[in-house]
Amino acid sequence: MPTLIGSVQRALRLLEAAGSHSGGAPAKQLAREAGLPLPTAYHLLRTLTHEGYLRRQRGVFVLGDAAGRLAVGGLQQKRRSMILDSLAHFRDAVGAPVYFAVYREGEIEVVGVSDTPGSPACEEWADFRETGHAHAIGQCLLGQLDESARKDYYDRHPVEAITPYTVRDLRSLETRIGALGRMQPVIERQEYALGTVCAAIPITAGDAAATMAISLPLHQQDRLLYVVNRLRSEVGALLSTLSFSISI
């Protein structure tokens, strides 16, 4: 049996006790609830307060910022796990790699990708963040922004061809974005990577611009519209039953 560190166990019991009282609790009450002698509890409470896991105010102890950061980190990990599980579901339903991306703090961020050895995702050979004009994910996200937000992105990441099929200039890109129908898929053929075709659909994720996308090898491009429409149908069905949600 592995050796257990008693002081760590006692400290964790105190944190649990403190966390069960939204308005805080005095040392004597926490010691009693944690099953600890009062001198031991005082020693641990001082240490936990010094490290920021507890905060003493008006004679009671409440959870501190450090404990809050632990909770946030755990919640973020849980959300990411839920996103990846959902992407795997969509991947299996449509038979293609599935991507989820958001536009956050002025940059394109691919939050998750789900693929299989038989249907691998598109390799990120040029930074997705800097080449939004060239791939379906970026074009779908940019299409959800207002003109000033798009201009800010273009100022930092100029439009330039990265394959012979990439949109050639900013005016052409803006014309394409302006022609996008609301909630319609964005289609891109070999603009980001030779031999790969992609499609993306806008997704509601709080106040942020978000998208889900799929990619296929060029020789399967005849499946592209079917697959992206299947993805849209799958996402819509789960959203309508409230069994699926994306938190970013």
Side-chain angles (χ1 to χ4, degrees), residues 125-126 131 133-135 160-167 191-194:
W125 72 275
T131 56
H133 64 283
H135 48 72
E160 58 184 7
I162 60 174
T163 80
Y165 303 94
T166 307
V167 63
E191 296 178 45
Y192 173 77
L194 293 177

Side-chain angles (χ1 to χ4, degrees), residues 231-244:
L231 175 64
R232 184 167 54 180
S233 176
E234 288 286 331
V235 173
L238 284 177
L239 285 173
S240 67
T241 61
L242 300 181
S243 61
F244 171 72

Side-chain angles (χ1 to χ4, degrees), residues 12 14-25 30 48 52-57 60-68 71:
L12 289 174
L14 280 174
L15 281 176
E16 290 174 352
S20 68
H21 300 281
S22 59
L30 294 177
L48 290 168
Y53 291 98
L54 291 176
R55 188 175 73 254
R56 189 173 186 178
Q57 56 184 34
V60 298
F61 291 89
V62 297
L63 294 180
D65 293 339

Side-chain angles (χ1 to χ4, degrees), residues 101-109 129 132-133 135-157 170 173-174 176-183 186 202-203 205-211 248:
V102 298
Y103 192 80
R104 180 156 42 201
E105 297 180 355
E107 298 293 350
I108 292 166
E109 179 182 341
R129 294 171 298 179
H133 64 283
H135 48 72
I137 286 174
Q139 292 174 24
C140 188
L141 292 174
L142 291 170
Q144 297 176 59
L145 306 179
D146 58 33
E147 289 186 13
S148 62
R150 287 203 303 274
K151 182 180 184 303
D152 172 70
Y153 179 84
Y154 300 144
D155 287 344
R156 291 178 288 109
H157 306 302
L170 179 56
L173 177 62
E174 279 290 282
R176 177 186 296 186
I177 287 176
L180 292 175
R182 177 173 172 78
M183 304 306 289
V186 176
I203 295 292
D207 296 329
T211 181
I248 52 176

